[in-house]
Amino acid sequence: MSKLICLCNGVREKELIDTINNVDMATLEIIQNKTGAGTNCGRCINSIEAFLEKQESKHN
Ligand code: FES
């Protein structure tokens, strides 16, 4: 099982990556709406943003 990123909502790394890959321009808001990650304590938001940055650098 992939790494747990959002402890509050039980969202794992794989779910975040799949969500980022399945939308044209993933943003923090989209991730929050689709997975629920980062909508509670916000402690995982830095990790989510790191995934988004990795994804952006793939496009450039
Ligand atoms: S760990 Fe993600 S909102 Fe708390």
Side-chain angles (χ1 to χ4, degrees):
M1 232 190 256
S2 69
K3 208 170 129 199
L4 194 56
I5 302 297
C6 180
L7 297 172
C8 293
N9 297 310
V11 182
R12 294 185 180 275
E13 191 174 78
K14 187 179 183 309
E15 195 180 338
L16 289 179
I17 292 171
D18 286 349
T19 305
I20 290 171
N21 287 339
N22 282 333
V23 298
D24 278 342
M25 254 316 277
T27 63
L28 180 60
E29 286 79 32
I30 291 173
I31 304 292
Q32 287 174 321
N33 287 338
K34 287 190 181 286
T35 69
T39 56
N40 196 2
C41 74
R43 207 167 33 165
C44 59
I45 284 179
N46 281 348
S47 311
I48 299 171
E49 283 179 335
F51 280 112
L52 288 169
E53 267 166 38
K54 261 193 239 163
Q55 190 59 25
E56 270 162 32
S57 58
K58 258 192 240 164
H59 287 302
N60 292 333

